[in-house]
């Protein structure tokens, strides 16, 4: 699924899923740079992100894979 990742002015990373009109903060990352790893959103979803350079600029739209459904919103 296509997602947009951005960093707010407060420094919090969030994910926007256009097809679901859903925006949730990232609450956990299994890698410090997040790229090529799994992130967990506040609603419980886990997403596998593609490999990208550590210095990739945000906001960015990427193709991610949803691993769990978490709480349905």
């Amino acid at each position: 699924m296509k997602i947009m990742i951005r960093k707010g002015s407060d420094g919090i990373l969030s994910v926007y899923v256009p097809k679901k009109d859903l925006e949730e903060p990232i609450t956990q990352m299994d890698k410090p740079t997040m790229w090529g790893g799994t992130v967990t959103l506040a609603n419980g979803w886990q997403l596998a992100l593609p490999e990208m350079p550590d210095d990739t600029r945000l906001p960015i739209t990427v193709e991610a894979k949803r691993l769990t459904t978490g709480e349905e919103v």
Side-chain angles (χ1 to χ4, degrees), residues 1-8 12-18 22-26 29 33-39 41 47-50 52 56-64:
M1 73 172 56
K2 293 260 187 214
I3 63 167
M4 185 188 72
I5 301 173
R6 70 178 189 92
K7 184 182 277 192
I12 295 175
L13 292 168
S14 64
V15 170
Y16 177 67
V17 184
L22 170 76
E23 184 164 7
E24 291 287 332
I26 295 174
M29 297 184 283
T33 62
M34 88 177 139
W35 301 116
T38 302
V39 296
L41 307 183
L47 303 174
L49 299 180
M52 302 280 283
T56 299
R57 299 190 76 177
L58 299 177
I60 188 169
T61 300
V62 296
E63 187 71 31

